[in-house]
Amino acid sequence: MMKNRQRGISFIGILFVGGVLAFAGVIAAQVFPTLVEFQAITKAANKAAEGSTVPEVRMIFDKAAAIDDIKSIGGKDLEVGKEGDKVIVSFAYNKEIHIGGPAYLLLKYSGRSK
C-alpha cells in the first residue's frame, strides 16, 4: 500500500518564519515613531508658512515643535523661500535606527509646506 505523504510546513520552517516576522515587527515598532514625528514636522511647517519674515517663520515652527515634542529638527534647520507671494518652508533630515552590531537603518525624510 502507498502511504499518504503529509504536506505542510516543518517545525524549523515555522521557527524561521516566526523569526522573520518578529524581526520585521521590531523594525516596524522603531520606524513608526519616526513617521509620526515626520507628520508632526509637516504640520508645523505648514503652520510656520503663515509667517511673513524668516525669523517669524522659525519662531512659529519652534513653538509648534515645543508643543508636538519635535526633537529631530529645529527652526534654524528650515529653508524658507517664496514662490510668487506664498512663503514655502522646506526641511530635510536623517534618522538612524540601530539594528544590531554595526548595522543601522538610515531613514531620509524631506518635505515642504503646501
Side-chain angles (χ1 to χ4, degrees):
M1 274 197 214
M2 294 185 62
K3 294 182 180 180
N4 288 337
R5 185 174 170 151
Q6 291 184 353
R7 295 178 192 212
I9 190 166
S10 67
F11 181 69
I12 300 297
I14 289 173
L15 287 178
F16 179 75
V17 170
V20 168
L21 290 176
F23 179 75
V26 168
I27 297 297
Q30 291 179 347
V31 168
F32 182 73
T34 67
L35 292 173
V36 171
E37 186 178 42
F38 174 74
Q39 293 296 327
I41 291 171
T42 303
K43 186 175 96 174
N46 287 331
K47 187 181 290 186
E50 297 170 0
S52 56
T53 64
V54 174
E56 183 182 5
V57 167
R58 291 184 175 164
M59 182 188 65
I60 293 169
F61 182 87
D62 285 335
K63 285 182 181 179
I67 292 170
D68 289 335
D69 196 33
I70 296 171
K71 304 273 190 230
S72 296
I73 193 171
K76 66 184 181 326
D77 301 318
L78 300 176
E79 293 181 24
V80 182
K82 278 196 160 197
E83 285 184 6
D85 62 340
K86 197 172 180 187
V87 175
I88 301 295
V89 179
S90 307
F91 60 90
Y93 65 99
N94 297 332
K95 198 74 169 171
E96 287 184 354
I97 297 174
H98 183 251
I99 295 176
Y104 286 85
L105 175 64
L106 177 65
L107 302 171
K108 293 185 176 188
Y109 290 108
S110 66
R112 60 184 277 180
S113 62
K114 293 181 180 178

